[in-house]
Amino acid sequence: MADMVETTASGERSATAQSIRIGFLLAGLAALAVAPLFLYPVFLMKLLCFALFACAFNLLIGYTGLLSFGHAAFFGGAAYFTAHAVKEWHLTPELGILVGVLGAALLGLVIGFFAIRRQGIYFAMITLALAQMFYFFCLQAEFTKGEDGIQGVPRGHFLGLLDLSTSTNMYYFTLAVFLVGLLVIWRFVNSPFGMILKSIRENEQRAVSLGYSVQYYKLGAFVMSAALAGLAGGTKALVFQFATLTDVTWQMSGEVILMTLLGGIGTLIGPVFGAGLVVTLQHYLATSDFPVTIVTGVVFMACVLLFRRGLVGEFYASRLGRRLGFAYRR
Amino acid sequence: MGALLQVADLHAWYGESHVLHGVDMTVGEGETITILGRNGVGKTTTLRTIMGIIRARKGEIRFAGRDMLSVPLHRTAHAGIGFVPEERGIFASLTVEENLTLPPVVADGGMPLEEIYDLFPNLLERRASQGTKLSGGEQQMLAMARILRTGVRLLILDEPTEGLAPVIVQRIGEVLQKLKARGMTILLVEQNFRFASRIADRFYLMEHGRMVADFPVAELPDRMTTLNKVLGV
């Protein structure tokens, strides 16, 4: 995984540490494989979609150092595109998701094109403004059905073969999408392109004087992040069989920031845990009288005050984490 | 020897403050030039202005006949100028090898990775370590090494020996000698006289944002008295 590097000098110890890390990975995969036997599948699928969304967002903030405040546009936009493609054009689910991904990437290209011209808070404000414009577009446009949203989206058959209407099949489909998305992110972050992104995050001017036109790389990262957020959004539309305005609101953009911060910026799997925590809180507090937003707010404050690196980031930086060969490189 | 870098009447500003007052200098192909001067006379600024990091500039900078004033910073390296800043600019979140392979190759004739590792065995040993876990000397070597890979024709170094142990300084001197032998053109700012006199062909003396003297290394002993006075050492 991206966050693992060999830091221990003695071969034997690093070999043990590596097998423990692989053990973690296998245990995680096994847990995901058997999870629907113990937990409500729709909850798990929601969790996976948000986890992928947060990972996509982390690609931008964690590895490129750009804080986007408009990622809901890509997530919710892709949900609309996929829902529309599947319901009105009768595409198969994989093609529907592809439509969502491409739509989100295109949207990312447009929003990113304007946003990367500015830095810091101005960058965030431009993404927010453009995402709000997209929100009003979704509110007014014909195909989104306004306040009602696109409902009754059929899940269809994956590749025309596998019936996704049962929640078990849909769960494994979602899990596959999630793992593919994570693999793409891992590959991307560890590619030469990812190296350049990290150098931009760290010292933009230095990267420029080494000869890189950073705007081009920032835009590339932005589009990539938008496309992956679209992958998550499109899948979510199939899971819940609807696409609504909720997913394009600015609150959704804020939520994904919260998830990423809680889990650990700049770690590959941190956002997964962050999303897990937030979605779980929302799920179990939804039926209680206690307002969820207050709880997540308190959790967020605790995070900022007590463990700034996020859950996974703190673990990596801890003595145990370092012993296991994890490195929190920021 | 044709002039590779030609600087004429170069002015530069930090905001309102006018810091370079008409710098004139010529760097010939294959030459090694050292700029001397007291702190704050504009040595680093000269390098940064030539590189294009300081954009508020006026005058003439020609590199291999090409006007560099209109070249954006990210194209400067592609034109063939490599810069090793004083703070070295090693990326902390990348490993040594990633730091090495990060800069884009801009021309043929750069050193292949194996040759770089031959020149800097320390870096080979530590290639999987994080960039900032290196010692100061190793960081300096890494900062130089990664520019060598790119195939630039002019290497600009800002105080490469600052704060380093004598043995490392000597090592860096050897590396620069080797680069000179390969025909690399080198422009450096250096406080360390002895170090500079071993590698430089020519010196420029800078005061108040302009060059006040220019002499070959052979004249250095005769000028020591004046230099000591001007530099205040």
Short mmCIF file of all heavy atoms in Angstrom, two decimals, chain A residues 257-297:
data_model
loop_
_atom_site.label_atom_id
_atom_site.label_comp_id
_atom_site.label_asym_id
_atom_site.label_seq_id
_atom_site.Cartn_x
_atom_site.Cartn_y
_atom_site.Cartn_z
N ILE A 257 -15.18 16.35 3.34
CA ILE A 257 -13.98 16.94 3.97
C ILE A 257 -13.84 16.38 5.38
O ILE A 257 -12.77 15.95 5.80
CB ILE A 257 -14.08 18.48 4.01
CG1 ILE A 257 -14.14 19.04 2.59
CG2 ILE A 257 -12.92 19.08 4.79
CD1 ILE A 257 -14.37 20.54 2.53
N LEU A 258 -14.98 16.35 6.09
CA LEU A 258 -15.00 15.83 7.46
C LEU A 258 -14.50 14.38 7.50
O LEU A 258 -13.64 14.01 8.31
CB LEU A 258 -16.43 15.91 7.99
CG LEU A 258 -16.70 15.34 9.37
CD1 LEU A 258 -16.04 16.20 10.42
CD2 LEU A 258 -18.20 15.28 9.63
N MET A 259 -15.02 13.55 6.59
CA MET A 259 -14.63 12.14 6.56
C MET A 259 -13.13 12.00 6.36
O MET A 259 -12.45 11.22 7.03
CB MET A 259 -15.33 11.42 5.41
CG MET A 259 -16.81 11.24 5.59
SD MET A 259 -17.51 10.61 4.06
CE MET A 259 -19.25 10.57 4.50
N THR A 260 -12.61 12.78 5.40
CA THR A 260 -11.19 12.66 5.07
C THR A 260 -10.32 13.12 6.23
O THR A 260 -9.33 12.47 6.57
CB THR A 260 -10.89 13.48 3.80
OG1 THR A 260 -11.87 13.15 2.83
CG2 THR A 260 -9.51 13.17 3.27
N LEU A 261 -10.71 14.22 6.86
CA LEU A 261 -9.93 14.73 8.00
C LEU A 261 -9.95 13.74 9.16
O LEU A 261 -8.93 13.49 9.80
CB LEU A 261 -10.49 16.07 8.47
CG LEU A 261 -10.18 17.29 7.62
CD1 LEU A 261 -10.90 18.50 8.18
CD2 LEU A 261 -8.69 17.54 7.57
N LEU A 262 -11.12 13.17 9.41
CA LEU A 262 -11.24 12.22 10.53
C LEU A 262 -10.37 11.01 10.30
O LEU A 262 -9.71 10.51 11.20
CB LEU A 262 -12.69 11.76 10.68
CG LEU A 262 -13.64 12.70 11.40
CD1 LEU A 262 -15.02 12.07 11.47
CD2 LEU A 262 -13.14 12.98 12.80
N GLY A 263 -10.37 10.53 9.08
CA GLY A 263 -9.64 9.28 8.80
C GLY A 263 -8.15 9.51 8.70
O GLY A 263 -7.36 8.66 9.11
N GLY A 264 -7.75 10.62 8.14
CA GLY A 264 -6.32 10.90 7.99
C GLY A 264 -5.98 11.30 6.57
O GLY A 264 -5.97 10.47 5.67
N ILE A 265 -5.70 12.60 6.42
CA ILE A 265 -5.34 13.13 5.11
C ILE A 265 -4.03 12.50 4.63
O ILE A 265 -3.11 12.33 5.40
CB ILE A 265 -5.16 14.66 5.23
CG1 ILE A 265 -6.51 15.34 5.30
CG2 ILE A 265 -4.36 15.23 4.09
CD1 ILE A 265 -6.44 16.81 5.46
N GLY A 266 -4.00 12.18 3.36
CA GLY A 266 -2.74 11.73 2.78
C GLY A 266 -2.38 10.29 3.11
O GLY A 266 -1.27 9.86 2.86
N THR A 267 -3.30 9.54 3.72
CA THR A 267 -3.07 8.11 3.87
C THR A 267 -4.07 7.43 2.94
O THR A 267 -5.17 7.93 2.76
CB THR A 267 -3.31 7.63 5.31
OG1 THR A 267 -4.68 7.91 5.64
CG2 THR A 267 -2.41 8.33 6.28
N LEU A 268 -3.68 6.31 2.38
CA LEU A 268 -4.53 5.71 1.37
C LEU A 268 -5.87 5.24 1.94
O LEU A 268 -6.92 5.47 1.36
CB LEU A 268 -3.80 4.54 0.70
CG LEU A 268 -4.50 3.99 -0.52
CD1 LEU A 268 -4.49 4.99 -1.64
CD2 LEU A 268 -3.83 2.71 -0.98
N ILE A 269 -5.82 4.60 3.12
CA ILE A 269 -7.07 4.03 3.62
C ILE A 269 -7.70 4.85 4.73
O ILE A 269 -8.77 4.52 5.21
CB ILE A 269 -6.89 2.57 4.10
CG1 ILE A 269 -5.75 2.50 5.10
CG2 ILE A 269 -6.67 1.64 2.93
CD1 ILE A 269 -5.75 1.21 5.87
N GLY A 270 -7.06 5.95 5.13
CA GLY A 270 -7.62 6.81 6.16
C GLY A 270 -9.05 7.23 5.87
O GLY A 270 -9.95 7.04 6.70
N PRO A 271 -9.31 7.76 4.68
CA PRO A 271 -10.66 8.22 4.36
C PRO A 271 -11.71 7.11 4.46
O PRO A 271 -12.88 7.38 4.76
CB PRO A 271 -10.54 8.71 2.91
CG PRO A 271 -9.12 9.07 2.75
CD PRO A 271 -8.35 8.10 3.61
N VAL A 272 -11.28 5.86 4.25
CA VAL A 272 -12.23 4.74 4.38
C VAL A 272 -12.74 4.67 5.81
O VAL A 272 -13.94 4.55 6.06
CB VAL A 272 -11.56 3.41 3.97
CG1 VAL A 272 -12.50 2.25 4.19
CG2 VAL A 272 -11.09 3.48 2.53
N PHE A 273 -11.80 4.80 6.76
CA PHE A 273 -12.19 4.75 8.17
C PHE A 273 -13.00 5.99 8.56
O PHE A 273 -13.96 5.90 9.33
CB PHE A 273 -10.96 4.59 9.06
CG PHE A 273 -10.39 3.21 9.02
CD1 PHE A 273 -9.41 2.88 8.10
CD2 PHE A 273 -10.87 2.24 9.87
CE1 PHE A 273 -8.90 1.60 8.03
CE2 PHE A 273 -10.36 0.95 9.81
CZ PHE A 273 -9.37 0.62 8.89
N GLY A 274 -12.59 7.13 8.02
CA GLY A 274 -13.33 8.36 8.31
C GLY A 274 -14.77 8.24 7.83
O GLY A 274 -15.72 8.56 8.55
N ALA A 275 -14.92 7.76 6.59
CA ALA A 275 -16.26 7.59 6.03
C ALA A 275 -17.04 6.57 6.85
O ALA A 275 -18.23 6.76 7.14
CB ALA A 275 -16.16 7.14 4.58
N GLY A 276 -16.36 5.50 7.26
CA GLY A 276 -17.00 4.48 8.07
C GLY A 276 -17.57 5.07 9.35
O GLY A 276 -18.73 4.83 9.71
N LEU A 277 -16.76 5.90 10.00
CA LEU A 277 -17.19 6.50 11.26
C LEU A 277 -18.40 7.41 11.05
O LEU A 277 -19.41 7.29 11.77
CB LEU A 277 -16.01 7.29 11.85
CG LEU A 277 -16.24 7.91 13.22
CD1 LEU A 277 -16.45 6.82 14.26
CD2 LEU A 277 -15.05 8.78 13.61
N VAL A 278 -18.31 8.28 10.06
CA VAL A 278 -19.40 9.25 9.85
C VAL A 278 -20.68 8.54 9.43
O VAL A 278 -21.76 8.80 9.97
CB VAL A 278 -18.98 10.30 8.79
CG1 VAL A 278 -20.16 11.18 8.42
CG2 VAL A 278 -17.83 11.14 9.30
N VAL A 279 -20.56 7.61 8.48
CA VAL A 279 -21.77 6.92 7.99
C VAL A 279 -22.39 6.08 9.11
O VAL A 279 -23.61 6.04 9.26
CB VAL A 279 -21.42 6.05 6.75
CG1 VAL A 279 -22.61 5.19 6.35
CG2 VAL A 279 -21.00 6.93 5.60
N THR A 280 -21.54 5.45 9.92
CA THR A 280 -22.07 4.65 11.03
C THR A 280 -22.81 5.53 12.03
O THR A 280 -23.92 5.19 12.48
CB THR A 280 -20.92 3.91 11.74
OG1 THR A 280 -20.17 3.21 10.77
CG2 THR A 280 -21.44 2.94 12.78
N LEU A 281 -22.21 6.66 12.37
CA LEU A 281 -22.88 7.58 13.30
C LEU A 281 -24.23 8.01 12.74
O LEU A 281 -25.24 7.98 13.44
CB LEU A 281 -22.01 8.81 13.53
CG LEU A 281 -20.84 8.67 14.49
CD1 LEU A 281 -20.03 9.94 14.53
CD2 LEU A 281 -21.35 8.33 15.88
N GLN A 282 -24.22 8.37 11.45
CA GLN A 282 -25.47 8.81 10.84
C GLN A 282 -26.51 7.69 10.85
O GLN A 282 -27.68 7.91 11.14
CB GLN A 282 -25.22 9.23 9.38
CG GLN A 282 -24.53 10.56 9.26
CD GLN A 282 -24.13 10.87 7.84
OE1 GLN A 282 -24.13 9.98 6.99
NE2 GLN A 282 -23.77 12.11 7.58
N HIS A 283 -26.03 6.48 10.56
CA HIS A 283 -26.95 5.35 10.47
C HIS A 283 -27.60 5.05 11.81
O HIS A 283 -28.81 4.88 11.91
CB HIS A 283 -26.17 4.13 9.98
CG HIS A 283 -27.03 2.94 9.73
ND1 HIS A 283 -27.82 2.83 8.62
CD2 HIS A 283 -27.21 1.80 10.44
CE1 HIS A 283 -28.46 1.68 8.66
NE2 HIS A 283 -28.13 1.04 9.75
N TYR A 284 -26.78 4.99 12.87
CA TYR A 284 -27.33 4.57 14.14
C TYR A 284 -27.98 5.71 14.92
O TYR A 284 -28.76 5.47 15.82
CB TYR A 284 -26.24 3.88 14.98
CG TYR A 284 -25.94 2.51 14.42
CD1 TYR A 284 -24.82 2.28 13.65
CD2 TYR A 284 -26.86 1.46 14.60
CE1 TYR A 284 -24.57 1.04 13.10
CE2 TYR A 284 -26.62 0.21 14.04
CZ TYR A 284 -25.49 0.00 13.29
OH TYR A 284 -25.27 -1.21 12.73
N LEU A 285 -27.64 6.94 14.56
CA LEU A 285 -28.27 8.05 15.26
C LEU A 285 -29.51 8.55 14.53
O LEU A 285 -30.26 9.37 15.04
CB LEU A 285 -27.29 9.20 15.46
CG LEU A 285 -26.14 8.90 16.42
CD1 LEU A 285 -25.17 10.05 16.46
CD2 LEU A 285 -26.67 8.62 17.82
N ALA A 286 -29.71 8.03 13.31
CA ALA A 286 -30.83 8.51 12.49
C ALA A 286 -32.15 8.27 13.19
O ALA A 286 -33.09 9.07 13.09
CB ALA A 286 -30.82 7.84 11.14
N THR A 287 -32.25 7.15 13.93
CA THR A 287 -33.52 6.81 14.56
C THR A 287 -33.67 7.43 15.95
O THR A 287 -34.76 7.46 16.50
CB THR A 287 -33.66 5.28 14.69
OG1 THR A 287 -32.43 4.78 15.20
CG2 THR A 287 -33.96 4.66 13.34
N SER A 288 -32.57 7.93 16.52
CA SER A 288 -32.68 8.54 17.85
C SER A 288 -33.11 10.00 17.72
O SER A 288 -33.10 10.57 16.63
CB SER A 288 -31.34 8.46 18.58
OG SER A 288 -30.49 9.47 18.11
N ASP A 289 -33.48 10.58 18.83
CA ASP A 289 -33.90 11.98 18.81
C ASP A 289 -32.72 12.94 18.77
O ASP A 289 -32.87 14.11 18.52
CB ASP A 289 -34.76 12.30 20.05
CG ASP A 289 -36.04 11.50 20.03
OD1 ASP A 289 -36.52 11.22 18.92
OD2 ASP A 289 -36.54 11.14 21.11
N PHE A 290 -31.56 12.38 19.07
CA PHE A 290 -30.38 13.23 19.19
C PHE A 290 -29.91 13.65 17.79
O PHE A 290 -29.76 12.82 16.91
CB PHE A 290 -29.27 12.44 19.89
CG PHE A 290 -28.31 13.33 20.59
CD1 PHE A 290 -28.66 13.97 21.77
CD2 PHE A 290 -27.05 13.56 20.05
CE1 PHE A 290 -27.77 14.80 22.41
CE2 PHE A 290 -26.16 14.39 20.70
CZ PHE A 290 -26.51 15.01 21.88
N PRO A 291 -29.70 14.96 17.57
CA PRO A 291 -29.31 15.39 16.22
C PRO A 291 -27.91 14.91 15.82
O PRO A 291 -26.95 15.10 16.56
CB PRO A 291 -29.36 16.92 16.31
CG PRO A 291 -29.47 17.26 17.73
CD PRO A 291 -29.88 16.07 18.50
N VAL A 292 -27.83 14.29 14.66
CA VAL A 292 -26.59 13.69 14.18
C VAL A 292 -25.51 14.74 13.98
O VAL A 292 -24.33 14.52 14.29
CB VAL A 292 -26.83 12.97 12.83
CG1 VAL A 292 -25.57 12.24 12.40
CG2 VAL A 292 -27.99 12.02 12.94
N THR A 293 -25.93 15.90 13.45
CA THR A 293 -24.93 16.91 13.11
C THR A 293 -24.16 17.36 14.33
O THR A 293 -22.97 17.64 14.25
CB THR A 293 -25.61 18.12 12.45
OG1 THR A 293 -26.81 18.39 13.16
CG2 THR A 293 -25.92 17.84 11.01
N ILE A 294 -24.84 17.39 15.50
CA ILE A 294 -24.13 17.80 16.72
C ILE A 294 -23.08 16.76 17.08
O ILE A 294 -21.94 17.09 17.40
CB ILE A 294 -25.13 18.01 17.88
CG1 ILE A 294 -25.96 19.24 17.58
CG2 ILE A 294 -24.40 18.14 19.21
CD1 ILE A 294 -26.90 19.65 18.67
N VAL A 295 -23.45 15.50 16.95
CA VAL A 295 -22.50 14.43 17.29
C VAL A 295 -21.30 14.47 16.35
O VAL A 295 -20.14 14.47 16.79
CB VAL A 295 -23.18 13.05 17.22
CG1 VAL A 295 -22.16 11.95 17.51
CG2 VAL A 295 -24.32 12.98 18.20
N THR A 296 -21.56 14.55 15.04
CA THR A 296 -20.42 14.58 14.12
C THR A 296 -19.58 15.83 14.34
O THR A 296 -18.36 15.79 14.24
CB THR A 296 -20.88 14.51 12.65
OG1 THR A 296 -21.95 15.43 12.46
CG2 THR A 296 -21.32 13.13 12.26
N GLY A 297 -20.25 16.93 14.70
CA GLY A 297 -19.51 18.16 14.99
C GLY A 297 -18.58 17.98 16.18
O GLY A 297 -17.42 18.38 16.13
#
